[in-house]
Amino acid sequence: MSTSADSAGRTPSIARTAAELSAAIARALETAAPAQGAATLGLVPTMGALHSGHESLVSTARGQNDVLVVSVFVNELQFNDAQDFARYPRTLEADVAILARAGADIVFAPEAAEVYPDGRPLIKIDSGFLGSKFEGASRPGHFDGMLAVVAKLLHFAMPPATLGVPVSYRAYFGQKDAQQLVLINRMVADLNYPVEVRSVPIIRSAEGLALSSRNQFLTKEQATAALVIHRALSLVKERADRHEPLYLEDAAGLFEMEPLVELDYFELVDPRTLQELAFNCQDTPFTGEGLLLVAAKVGEVRLIDNMTLGY
Ligand code: AMP
């Protein structure tokens, strides 16, 4: 297995088309696959504008796979706001430099026409009720568009059947986008994708703000105000760790003290089904497992974050 030490610093090969990607994967696997046993291939889908959160995903995948592909594609289908799509940062050159450092073997950076040669797909993946709540309620169509591209990327990076040794195929996603992760796990299970989904924890700034490519649009004042998200999540997490009642409304009340931050939702759910859990009553100490989801708008920037409770 190649390690991050072997491949860190080498310029990754850049594939612009699906054919180039398949050829690059086949070549890289032939070189890196062990003589015996299964080879491993990791895929990390991103929209670029890479930060330390992405780097953590890439380094984790690097350490676990013989060959590592990172895709960089700003997927118009998952933007329900044309302005948000237009201004989404595109920084491929800087991204490739980061990916070289993090040890990616191949960067897949296709044009939209390569991914959607016939324009918007006519046949759609419906994210169902899991995709209609929380982020889906505020961003109609977002999750269908996200699943459309992930379904395609998983195909594009599929290991060749002709290698001679079996290839274990893994795809990596961040816990930062918790609802996305639940949906991708369901899609992979429901549509029998031959891939194992792996997740990595949220990377935050030293002050607690979850890293996001959109944070660069926050003023200093807004970024400071946005720390209320982490304060509210942590307050509930501390109560959960002590098996106390959670008093979600009281934690959500912290947002009222930050006029720059407009709370969208602050909700405790089952980590697998996203069904709301009620642990608010005075006499109900928290037990079991929960996922606390939050979304808020700071100026024009929508921020999401979450914390797992009871783990
Ligand atoms: P994006 O480029 O925003 O589509 O994100 C690409 C991948 O990076 C997704 O799986 C995200 O969940 C993950 N990611 C984004 N931000 C973070 C973060 N702060 N910590 C961990 N993973 C992240």
Side-chain angles (χ1 to χ4, degrees):
M1 180 184 284
S2 62
T3 64
S4 32
D6 292 335
S7 30
R10 258 196 280 131
T11 307
S13 61
I14 314 278
R16 290 292 194 167
T17 65
E20 284 172 13
L21 176 64
S22 297
I25 290 173
R27 264 197 315 274
L29 277 170
E30 267 157 33
T31 314
Q36 277 159 355
T40 49
L41 171 68
L43 168 68
V44 181
T46 80
M47 295 204 300
L50 302 181
H51 50 64
S52 312
H54 298 109
E55 266 187 88
S56 150
L57 211 58
V58 174
S59 321
T60 302
R62 171 70 283 167
Q64 297 177 355
N65 294 283
D66 298 316
V67 172
L68 177 60
V69 179
V70 179
S71 63
V72 175
F73 178 64
V74 184
N75 174 42
E76 186 171 3
L77 255 55
Q78 71 191 70
F79 286 79
N80 56 307
D81 174 347
Q83 224 185 331
D84 189 26
F85 173 66
R87 71 168 186 170
Y88 199 85
R90 289 154 171 92
T91 57
L92 185 60
E93 211 175 304
D95 293 343
V96 172
I98 290 172
L99 293 174
R101 227 173 40 227
D105 297 304
I106 302 162
V107 176
F108 180 45
E111 296 292 336
E114 183 68 16
V115 180
Y116 302 114
D118 301 312
R120 289 186 171 249
L122 286 178
I123 307 302
K124 296 188 178 136
I125 299 176
D126 180 348
S127 58
F129 79 92
L130 285 176
S132 67
K133 48 210 317 196
F134 306 118
E135 281 311 280
S138 296
R139 304 177 64 190
H142 166 64
F143 285 122
D144 291 359
M146 177 281 292
L147 290 177
V149 82
V150 172
K152 280 179 171 259
L153 291 170
L154 289 173
H155 279 307
F156 285 140
M158 195 79 77
T162 50
L163 189 68
V165 295
V167 183
S168 296
Y169 183 29
R170 292 92 176 248
Y172 292 78
F173 298 90
Q175 176 62 32
K176 155 86 167 34
D177 297 280
Q179 190 175 5
Q180 166 172 291
L181 188 56
V182 168
L183 280 160
I184 290 168
N185 271 308
R186 277 311 298 235
M187 180 182 76
V188 162
D190 289 351
L191 302 184
N192 292 79
Y193 267 85
V195 68
E196 181 193 340
V197 174
R198 296 189 173 184
S199 66
V200 303
I202 301 174
I203 303 297
R204 302 170 183 284
S205 71
E207 295 80 30
L209 186 63
L211 297 189
S212 158
S213 306
R214 291 185 175 91
N215 289 357
Q216 58 186 273
F217 298 130
L218 296 173
T219 63
K220 231 170 150 200
E221 205 188 1
Q222 288 173 325
T224 303
L227 296 177
V228 67
I229 296 173
H230 189 242
R231 279 201 302 282
L233 288 171
S234 304
L235 178 63
V236 178
K237 170 108 178 124
E238 282 158 25
R239 291 172 180 161
D241 288 347
R242 293 195 297 261
H243 302 290
E244 293 172 5
L246 300 181
Y247 303 122
L248 291 183
E249 279 104 6
D250 149 63
L254 293 180
F255 287 86
E256 281 157 32
M257 288 181 253
E258 286 293 354
L260 295 182
V261 182
E262 189 192 324
L263 181 62
D264 182 351
Y265 56 81
F266 188 74
E267 203 73 59
L268 182 67
V269 299
D270 179 292
R272 278 163 286 273
T273 63
L274 300 180
Q275 293 291 348
E276 283 87 343
L277 300 175
F279 267 106
N280 264 338
C281 327
Q282 186 98 18
D283 318 320
T284 317
F286 178 75
T287 53
E289 293 173 349
L291 172 66
L292 187 57
L293 296 172
V294 57
K297 245 184 139 189
V298 185
E300 288 302 300
V301 185
R302 187 180 170 78
L303 298 174
I304 58 169
D305 201 343
N306 66 86
M307 231 174 238
T308 45
L309 309 183
Y311 284 85

